[in-house]
Amino acid sequence: QVQVVESGGGLVQAGGSLRLSCAVSGTIFSIDAMTWYRQAPGKQRELVAAIDSGGATNLADSVKGRFTISSDNAKNTGYLQMNSLKSEDTAVYYCNTHVRLLSFGAAFPYWGQGTQVTVSS
């Protein structure tokens, strides 16, 4: 069974840094893409960053220059490095992975449970 677990969240002061991890376990063939979302109370879910299996990345305008997305394919783990954090970054961060279970066919999405990031002023 595929399991996705985010970790690394916590409380940090404005200007500080955190690194979130997204670990994928189970019997899988490959991870085709990994996307980070965040959702603050009372707000809609926002796409933050994405990376595909070839290493191509995309970042939301609100985090460009501050956040970096990366992956370690050997560990089936992705990372979101967050620097220069602002109070506006406070949210629950979710990892969405597109996992291929076989060497053929489609990749399917799997979500983690989320990790809380709180940035104090």
Side-chain angles (χ1 to χ4, degrees), residues 63-82:
V63 304
K64 285 182 179 177
R66 300 189 297 121
F67 291 12
T68 302
I69 187 170
S70 62
S71 62
D72 185 337
N73 293 332
K75 297 181 179 179
N76 288 331
T77 301
Y79 304 95
L80 184 67
Q81 179 67 47
M82 306 186 296

Side-chain angles (χ1 to χ4, degrees), residues 25-113:
S25 63
T27 303
I28 63 175
F29 179 77
S30 65
I31 301 174
D32 285 2
M34 182 174 291
T35 304
W36 287 93
Y37 295 82
R38 66 186 182 187
Q39 188 166 24
K43 299 182 65 177
Q44 65 184 41
R45 184 168 295 180
E46 175 188 17
L47 193 155
V48 177
I51 187 169
D52 66 17
S53 60
T57 62
N58 287 291
L59 294 170
D61 289 341
S62 60
V63 304
K64 285 182 179 177
R66 300 189 297 121
F67 291 12
T68 302
I69 187 170
S70 62
S71 62
D72 185 337
N73 293 332
K75 297 181 179 179
N76 288 331
T77 301
Y79 304 95
L80 184 67
Q81 179 67 47
M82 306 186 296
N83 299 325
S84 301
L85 283 163
K86 306 174 181 179
S87 60
E88 304 93 275
D89 297 317
T90 296
V92 177
Y93 284 71
Y94 298 91
C95 177
N96 174 249
T97 66
H98 289 76
V99 177
R100 193 179 304 276
L101 303 181
L102 300 170
S103 61
F104 58 90
F108 296 93
Y110 293 86
W111 289 87
Q113 80 290 346

Side-chain angles (χ1 to χ4, degrees), residues 2-27:
V2 176
Q3 185 176 22
V4 178
V5 179
E6 303 100 331
S7 62
L11 175 64
V12 65
Q13 294 185 16
S17 298
L18 287 173
R19 188 176 77 158
L20 306 184
S21 298
C22 177
V24 182
S25 63
T27 303

